[in-house]
Amino acid sequence: FLTSASRPTVGATPSPRQNMLVALTLASWLVAASGSGLSDTGFVHAGRGDLGTNAHCPPVDLSTTYPIPDLATATASMKSLGSGGHPKGSSIYQRMHNPNVARFEQALASLEGTNEAVAFASGMATLTAVVLAARTPSKKHIVGVRPLYGATDSLIGCGMLDVEVSWATPDTVAKHIRDDTCLVLCESPANPTCTIIDIAAVCAQAGGVPVVVDSTFGTPVLQQPTKLGATMVVHSCTKAIGGHGDILGGVVACDAEWAQKIRRVRTLTGANLHPLAAYQLHRGLQTLPIRIRAAQLSASEIATRLSKHASVSRVHYPGATGTAVDALVGAGKQMTGPGTMIAFDLVGGYEAARAMMGAVRLITPAVSLGTTDTLVQHPAGMTHTSLPQDAKDAGGIGPGLIRLSVGLEDVEDIWDDLAQALDTTG
């Protein structure tokens, strides 16, 4: 399983890189054997059932309009698609249906364990459609569990979607449920602090109110929230599913009834995922497990080293032992591994964060996450800067908080750059 370049010569002492490669391979086997219950084979072959013997790779269909076989069939298809259903013969128009988007949706649904999925042009377009599909004239109340991604927090709290929000902690969701509550919205792990919430406990508190879980940090590799009671699972596919920082997209996995409501919103508002982006995201699923496992192995090592660094006051990482989340992270648990995201607080606060961000050389200072290269950002000054101070305080987003998305570089190279940048903070 090692290439000739990485395989140690018999009798020779293995190099640190060779040891790392062996450890990575063994860790991959262990996670695959005792992880989420999903086989890597599913990630490779999901959504390819319609190819048959005609093609090895899914063809890209860029058509904006489709010929109609006859008027009666076209009318039936138009009525079905216009109400959020599936095509009946002709796809009619790309805003209503596209084969590449459908393949990606089928693949993602199978990995999340849902009947269907609906893909959008971005994660925020996905979330907007979910809220619009759930909101009714008599139900305009949402329970939001902080912390949330900054744009999510702003979207549901700014009044643009004509909803009222009650902000809750994972333990107080039940206290905020009302007769007019249409959704409970949470993230696990949460952005940016990597907080793990007990999804099953939140769903129990919600009663019959639909629960939406943003699982962007977790991905289907590490968790499937619908198995724990969630109604819908949202992903910003721009992140780990795309994986290379060159695709914008989002998706929600849900049952058929919710999918029809949400597709109708997409058809009417036009926030469609482009077919080429759908093709790339579908392809990204094939390597998602190995990318997550490789970056997770490095993240675990880096989190350990950060916890011992004098410039760091606290590390937020689901893999840390001796905490309450031990019961939720690990083989056979809610989240089968700690993931690839780390947050940590710097002793020197904002000035230390500014110095560190300006000193990295290999690591890229940028928003987003889940790419092949390591990214670092300052939530209070970037992704969550628009939030009021009380929201930042409630989410644990302080002036010295740093968020690190661990990539696929050699772990020693990542650490060397991070360590020298931390040394500039005093």
Side-chain angles (χ1 to χ4, degrees):
F1 57 85
L2 295 176
T3 65
S4 59
S6 60
R7 187 185 302 118
T9 304
V10 176
T13 300
S15 69
R17 178 169 178 79
Q18 289 164 341
N19 284 331
M20 186 66 182
L21 286 167
V22 174
L24 175 59
T25 304
L26 293 175
S28 297
W29 289 348
L30 289 172
V31 174
S34 60
S36 62
L38 291 179
S39 164
D40 284 8
T41 304
F43 285 86
V44 174
H45 291 278
R48 296 167 58 90
D50 69 324
L51 296 182
T53 58
N54 296 320
H56 178 236
C57 294
V60 178
D61 186 337
L62 298 176
S63 299
T64 58
T65 192
Y66 294 88
I68 57 174
D70 60 79
L71 183 56
T73 301
T75 300
S77 193
M78 180 71 80
K79 287 182 177 179
S80 176
L81 290 166
S83 64
H86 295 290
K88 296 183 180 299
S90 174
S91 293
I92 302 294
Y93 193 59
Q94 188 185 117
R95 177 163 49 82
M96 295 179 169
H97 183 265
N98 172 267
N100 292 103
V101 175
R103 289 189 190 100
F104 171 64
E105 291 170 339
Q106 292 163 9
L108 197 284
S110 71
L111 297 173
E112 284 290 358
T114 61
N115 298 115
E116 298 198 29
V118 187
F120 288 83
S122 69
M124 291 309 300
T126 306
L127 184 63
T128 299
V130 168
V131 173
L132 291 176
R135 194 204 66 173
T136 68
S138 61
K139 289 182 179 289
K140 296 184 177 182
H141 177 247
I142 293 176
V143 177
V145 182
R146 279 173 169 160
L148 296 169
Y149 171 51
T152 299
D153 194 300
S154 296
L155 177 69
I156 63 174
C158 71
M160 183 183 294
L161 300 183
D162 191 26
V163 292
E164 177 189 353
V165 183
S166 294
W167 298 109
T169 65
D171 298 328
T172 63
V173 170
K175 296 178 181 178
H176 295 280
I177 298 294
R178 307 186 325 205
D179 291 341
D180 63 340
T181 304
C182 64
L183 284 178
V184 174
L185 177 60
C186 61
E187 299 177 358
S188 187
N191 188 352
T193 58
C194 303
T195 303
I196 301 290
I197 68 168
D198 189 331
I199 295 173
V202 168
C203 293
Q205 292 181 70
V209 176
V211 176
V212 180
V213 177
D214 187 326
S215 189
T216 298
F217 277 26
T219 80
V221 176
L222 300 178
Q223 64 183 16
Q224 294 82 45
T226 58
K227 294 181 180 179
L228 302 166
T231 312
M232 290 172 265
V233 183
V234 170
H235 293 278
S236 172
C237 302
T238 310
K239 313 306 191 295
I241 290 176
H244 294 75
D246 56 4
I247 316 166
L248 205 64
V251 70
V252 54
C254 53
D255 65 20
E257 182 179 355
W258 274 107
Q260 183 165 359
K261 294 178 183 178
I262 295 167
R263 266 196 305 269
R264 184 170 183 268
V265 174
R266 183 181 67 183
T267 296
L268 293 175
T269 60
N272 295 67
L273 181 66
H274 191 273
L276 185 57
Y279 170 85
Q280 290 175 296
L281 292 174
H282 191 187
R283 183 177 63 179
L285 289 175
Q286 298 178 28
T287 60
L288 183 61
I290 58 174
R291 287 188 282 111
I292 291 294
R293 292 198 294 263
Q296 178 177 256
L297 190 66
S298 293
S300 296
E301 176 62 24
I302 290 168
T304 298
R305 297 185 189 186
L306 282 170
S307 68
K308 301 174 183 177
H309 198 284
S311 297
V312 177
S313 60
R314 184 181 179 187
V315 175
H316 310 262
Y317 184 62
T321 59
T323 63
V325 300
D326 281 352
L328 300 175
V329 179
K333 299 177 183 178
Q334 172 178 300
M335 186 171 167
T336 59
T340 66
M341 300 297 299
I342 306 170
F344 54 96
D345 291 292
L346 295 176
V347 173
Y350 176 80
E351 288 302 322
R354 187 170 66 88
M356 198 215 83
M357 291 277 292
V360 292
R361 295 294 178 263
L362 174 72
I363 298 169
T364 302
V367 298
S368 200
L369 56 103
T371 58
T372 53
D373 59 325
T374 300
L375 307 178
V376 65
Q377 69 109 350
H378 181 254
M382 297 175 76
T383 53
H384 294 71
T385 190
S386 63
L387 300 188
Q389 191 57 49
D390 63 332
K392 293 176 184 176
D393 293 341
I397 305 166
L401 183 72
I402 293 291
R403 192 191 74 185
L404 187 72
S405 171
V406 179
L408 300 180
E409 303 97 337
D410 189 291
V411 66
E412 296 299 335
D413 292 332
I414 299 171
W415 177 250
D416 285 348
D417 190 38
L418 190 57
Q420 67 82 21
L422 286 170
D423 288 342
T424 67
T425 67

